[in-house]
Amino acid sequence: MLQPDTSIETILSAQDDTIQSLVRDEVEHGVLIPLKTTLELRDDHVTGRVLITRAPVKSANPAISLLRTMLPEDIVKGVPHLRRCAKPCDLPDHLKTQFMNETPQGRQIHTGKSNWIYIILGPENVLSRKEILEALSTVEGIEGDIFIRSVPVPMVAPTSQVQAAMWSQNYWPTVYRKNNPLGPHPSMVSRSTEEIAHDAAIWMTLAHQVATQTKAKGYGEPMGACIIHRNQGKVTIVALAADARWRQQEKTGPPGNPMAHATLRAISMVAQKLVRAENRKTDTKSTPILEFEAFQDNPILEDEQQIFELEHPCPDGYLCHGLELYLTHEPCVMCSMAILHSRMGKVVFRHRMPQTGGLCAEDRGCDHNAPVDKPDGGRGLGLFWRRELNWSLVAWEWESCGSVRPLPVNQAIHA
């Protein structure tokens, strides 16, 4: 079976004439690195303690049924990523050694084929040992010297089979259910990466081109954005925007005009296309309410103008729902929230901004070097995937294989 030609030249030649005419720089495939969420980076080894008991196999079901009648449902279900019942041979080596050497009965249970089983009762901090002992004493086969111990266990589910195996060796038999409670589902990340990997370099190159142009003209920092719509293999560019923070104002301080960041300009251009599709006239430039136009959302470069004149390919959806955003630099917190509020589908950026970026979850200035004379930016926000926000998306860092030159900027700048 012939493999499809995945060379960037072939992929570019399959795009429409507008895209081919815009791409003037050399294009080369890069590498997509999915971002980690704040929970994936910080809750990796959060542990708590649970109470366990042991009982003959024939007494396990009566014991569990008794627990269901006396404990709330959420406690009975406990931590679903841990095996509720475990054979003595399945325990981690350190627990086997501990329990086997405690009593003669323990040695007997852990020697040869055992008809005993260990059972997780629930989190130690919400259980009463006295009540548990009294209840278990009524179960046939457990009465007498009832075994109850406290052991540490991971309180969050594993995010891979490897992690589950490691926890099974170090804590308690653990199950990987092919999900990710701390971030996007692995299959979603894999599927999304495969969907965009073959042509991501094209859109990143276009963002890079407008970034270089705006820097040369003195309009803004060398930062660019490209928004595309992907539908059944066909890609349409919806917006192309460069940073314009210095346009129509003197470059007197580091911030510039925050409303003219590349991301905000690109999203605004998408919005204008939607309004235009509804046949509503918009003209914000003729009657400015300030000495200069704060929202520099009209095209200022020829490439921007060429894309701006095209109609939106899907004008019925909500703003940026389902669209993909390619950026030269990690967006600042303001732009990151704008991305979420616009319901963007995917985001890819090239350069991390470890002091000011809003998408990465790594501690700022720790995993990425911060200037010696500047304090680091604290903890990363990881805004692309937060439980407390009402929108989440998949995001990647894109690494060039060499053809796209870096666009270095002051790390204290908000992109």
Side-chain angles (χ1 to χ4, degrees):
M1 180 177 178
L2 293 176
Q3 295 296 321
D5 188 351
T6 58
S7 67
I8 199 67
E9 292 80 9
T10 302
I11 295 170
L12 181 57
S13 65
Q15 306 299 325
D16 62 38
D17 293 341
T18 300
I19 295 174
Q20 293 186 51
S21 66
L22 283 172
V23 178
R24 293 179 288 274
D25 294 346
E26 181 184 356
V27 183
E28 185 178 340
H29 282 303
V31 178
L32 289 167
I33 305 171
L35 297 191
K36 294 287 188 180
T37 69
T38 54
L39 293 176
E40 285 176 317
L41 291 171
R42 287 169 204 152
D43 285 355
D44 216 10
H45 295 89
V46 171
T47 60
R49 301 191 74 87
V50 295
L51 294 181
I52 64 171
T53 188
R54 64 189 177 202
V57 173
K58 64 179 182 180
S59 302
N61 282 335
I64 294 174
S65 298
L66 179 64
L67 290 172
R68 288 197 176 103
T69 62
M70 62 179 294
L71 297 174
E73 184 178 357
D74 58 336
I75 296 179
V76 173
K77 290 184 177 179
V79 273
H81 57 282
L82 301 178
R83 293 198 181 279
R84 185 64 182 269
C85 299
K87 297 178 181 178
C89 61
D90 292 332
L91 294 184
D93 289 341
H94 68 282
L95 291 183
K96 289 181 190 175
T97 303
Q98 176 186 336
F99 300 155
M100 183 171 63
N101 294 327
E102 282 182 344
T103 62
Q105 184 189 36
R107 265 190 303 277
Q108 182 182 13
I109 290 174
H110 285 269
T111 303
K113 187 175 181 180
S114 177
N115 64 343
W116 285 70
I117 197 166
Y118 285 88
I119 305 169
I120 291 181
L121 299 172
E124 182 180 21
N125 61 342
V126 297
L127 297 178
S128 166
R129 285 195 181 220
K130 181 179 179 181
E131 293 180 1
I132 293 293
L133 284 170
E134 291 177 354
L136 291 177
S137 64
T138 64
V139 178
E140 183 180 356
I142 304 182
E143 67 275 2
D145 187 13
I146 299 176
F147 175 93
I148 291 185
R149 297 292 184 272
S150 171
V151 298
V153 295
M155 299 305 291
V156 294
T159 58
S160 69
Q161 187 64 55
V162 172
Q163 193 174 50
M166 181 180 69
W167 287 355
S168 296
Q169 292 177 358
N170 297 329
Y171 295 103
W172 188 267
T174 306
V175 179
Y176 173 55
R177 302 189 184 279
K178 295 185 179 181
N179 63 359
N180 183 9
L182 310 179
H185 195 285
S187 64
M188 176 196 296
V189 176
S190 177
R191 186 173 61 251
S192 298
T193 302
E194 183 178 350
E195 183 180 35
I196 70 173
H198 68 288
D199 60 6
I202 297 175
W203 324 123
M204 194 61 71
T205 297
L206 291 175
H208 188 279
Q209 284 182 181
V210 294
T212 304
Q213 294 168 15
T214 196
K215 177 66 174 178
K217 291 181 176 293
Y219 292 159
E221 297 294 330
M223 300 171 176
C226 179
I227 296 179
I228 68 168
H229 174 264
R230 192 185 301 271
N231 182 34
Q232 296 181 348
K234 178 177 173 56
V235 178
T236 305
I237 303 179
V238 186
L240 195 59
D243 184 85
R245 70 186 66 196
W246 303 120
R247 187 169 182 267
Q248 295 187 356
Q249 77 173 74
E250 295 182 8
K251 191 173 181 179
T252 57
N257 178 7
M259 306 310 297
H261 289 187
T263 298
L264 293 187
R265 295 188 66 237
I267 292 175
S268 180
M269 289 179 185
V270 175
Q272 291 181 69
K273 285 191 173 187
L274 293 175
V275 171
R276 196 167 66 198
E278 294 175 1
N279 297 319
R280 291 206 300 263
K281 184 179 179 181
T282 58
D283 190 358
T284 59
K285 193 171 183 179
S286 60
T287 55
I289 60 174
L290 300 173
E291 293 181 2
F292 67 96
E293 185 183 358
F295 294 91
Q296 297 287 329
D297 52 4
N298 287 319
I300 59 175
L301 301 171
E302 290 184 7
D303 289 354
E304 292 181 355
Q305 182 67 40
Q306 186 174 350
I307 297 301
F308 187 73
E309 291 174 354
L310 302 176
E311 295 305 319
H312 196 296
C314 185
D316 298 327
Y318 176 82
L319 197 47
C320 295
H321 187 271
L323 301 184
E324 300 172 18
L325 172 62
Y326 294 81
L327 299 165
T328 57
H329 295 76
E330 179 188 359
C332 66
V333 175
M334 174 186 70
C335 290
S336 297
M337 290 305 298
I339 290 169
L340 292 177
H341 287 305
S342 71
R343 300 296 189 263
M344 195 71 69
K346 302 179 181 72
V347 176
V348 183
F349 65 84
R350 181 182 181 191
H351 297 289
R352 290 196 182 212
M353 299 296 286
Q355 292 186 56
T356 61
L359 293 185
C360 291
E362 286 84 358
D363 289 352
R364 297 166 171 175
C366 295
D367 291 343
H368 301 273
N369 294 330
V372 177
D373 59 340
K374 300 281 187 181
D376 65 50
R379 284 193 161 188
L381 298 176
L383 293 175
F384 76 99
W385 196 281
R386 295 288 295 254
R387 287 176 176 173
E388 61 269 34
L389 299 177
N390 64 357
W391 186 256
S392 299
L393 49 88
V394 187
W396 296 262
E397 178 183 4
W398 185 82
E399 286 190 358
S400 171
C401 291
S403 65
V404 180
R405 292 179 290 107
L407 293 171
V409 297
N410 185 334
Q411 293 295 292
I413 285 178
H414 293 257

